[in-house]
Amino acid sequence: MVRTPNPVRQMEKRPNPLLWHGVFALLLLLAGYAIYQAVQAVNYTWRWERIPQYIVYQDEQKSMAEFDGTVVADQGTLWLQDDLDPTHRQKVAAQGALVAEGDTVFRGDAIDSRKAWTAGPIALGVWVTVKLSFCAGILAILLGTLAGLARLSPNPALRNLSITYVEIIRGTPLLVQIFIVYFFIGTVLNLDRFTAGVAALAVFTGAYVAEIVRAGVSSIHKGQMEAGRSLGMTSAQTMRYVILPQAFKRVLPPLAGQFINLIKDSSLVSVISITDLTKAGREVVSSTFSPFEVWFTVALLYLVLTGTLSFLVRRLEVKYAKSN
């Protein structure tokens, strides 16, 4: 006699989502309380008001006179008129004007002043980190894809070259590679700091991308290559139009994890004086003497960058899942 599952009993076995959400919230509260107690133990005074000005602030920007002249009014607008050429004029901003009609102004004098939002060192550090990670990521995809395909090549020279590259790069620390690229290769090729940092990160990440690509291509059934060849396509065409598109869907999650690591690993380029987010954080700490606030802010910004990348990758996964 075959017993059919009881749907009522199955529903009873399902965990209560509200209960476990409550457990999660409780754990967060306990973690927050533990952090609070740790801060109380060291008797630290929080000064969060010091941080915003290092992210974005209002800077006073002045316009300088481009020539010697006299301030004139024309239909309610102030102009700096060139003494030598009356047709040559420079407009004075209506708000924040530092001169009045009839004033004599010399070249280089301030004629108006206005406040504008300006990125602080932390915001500039975020931009450098994004630019560094993006450039290194693009190069790592190209290098890793070529190295991964070379590992699957029937040519022993290409295969051994790829294996050597992957094993050497994965077997040495990234920090050491950055020093070698900057102080040795960079000196020989006259590379600037940013280029050397991008090259070191791209070579390091490319080795891991190569293994991801190799595993993804190897997971595609060999019959796919045979089917492409039977349709008259070359091996390269079959790899490009049949194998790689399928492999890309499978390697998307590990690639995303690798590029998230790339964003975090980019903090190491601060050792060669690239002012990324980490180095900007150190400089702000030396100015504010507020290490906890600064490093919590830096950690949050890294979390925003990696979280944004994770969200975009999940969207891609959903898109490709629907296409299947």
Side-chain angles (χ1 to χ4, degrees), residues 211-220 243 246-248 250-251:
E211 285 297 282
I212 294 172
V213 171
R214 180 192 62 80
V217 173
S218 299
S219 68
I220 305 300
I243 305 298
Q246 297 180 69
F248 177 74
R250 299 185 180 185
V251 303

Side-chain angles (χ1 to χ4, degrees), residues 51-69:
I51 304 303
Q53 62 180 325
Y54 292 96
I55 300 176
V56 63
Y57 63 97
Q58 279 193 321
D59 184 28
E60 186 177 9
Q61 298 181 352
K62 295 181 179 180
S63 298
M64 303 300 177
E66 300 174 357
F67 45 80
D68 299 340

Side-chain angles (χ1 to χ4, degrees), residues 10 45 121 160-161 179 202 231 238 265:
Q10 287 184 346
T45 303
N160 293 334
L161 185 63
F179 283 137
L231 294 176
T238 305
D265 291 341

Side-chain angles (χ1 to χ4, degrees), residues 92-162:
V92 180
Q95 295 183 347
L98 301 177
V99 294
E101 183 180 0
D103 288 350
T104 299
V105 178
F106 298 97
R107 182 179 179 180
D109 291 346
I111 58 175
D112 58 48
S113 174
R114 61 189 181 278
K115 288 188 176 182
W117 288 104
T118 305
I122 292 181
L124 294 176
V126 171
W127 167 242
V128 172
T129 295
V130 170
K131 185 168 62 171
L132 192 72
S133 302
F134 178 79
C135 295
I138 296 297
L139 293 177
I141 290 177
L142 298 176
L143 182 60
T145 301
L146 293 176
L149 295 178
R151 288 207 64 174
L152 301 172
S153 173
N155 188 322
L158 289 177
R159 188 169 61 251
N160 293 334
L161 185 63
S162 175

Side-chain angles (χ1 to χ4, degrees), residues 256-299:
Q258 189 57 49
F259 289 130
I260 287 174
N261 287 334
L262 171 61
I263 294 176
K264 295 183 292 183
D265 291 341
S266 66
S267 62
L268 292 177
V269 300
S270 61
V271 298
I272 56 175
S273 299
I274 296 179
T275 311
D276 67 325
L277 180 54
T278 300
K279 188 172 188 299
R282 289 206 302 264
E283 293 175 351
V284 173
V285 168
S286 64
S287 300
T288 61
F289 300 100
S290 302
F292 289 168
E293 295 90 331
V294 173
W295 291 123
F296 274 124
T297 302
V298 169

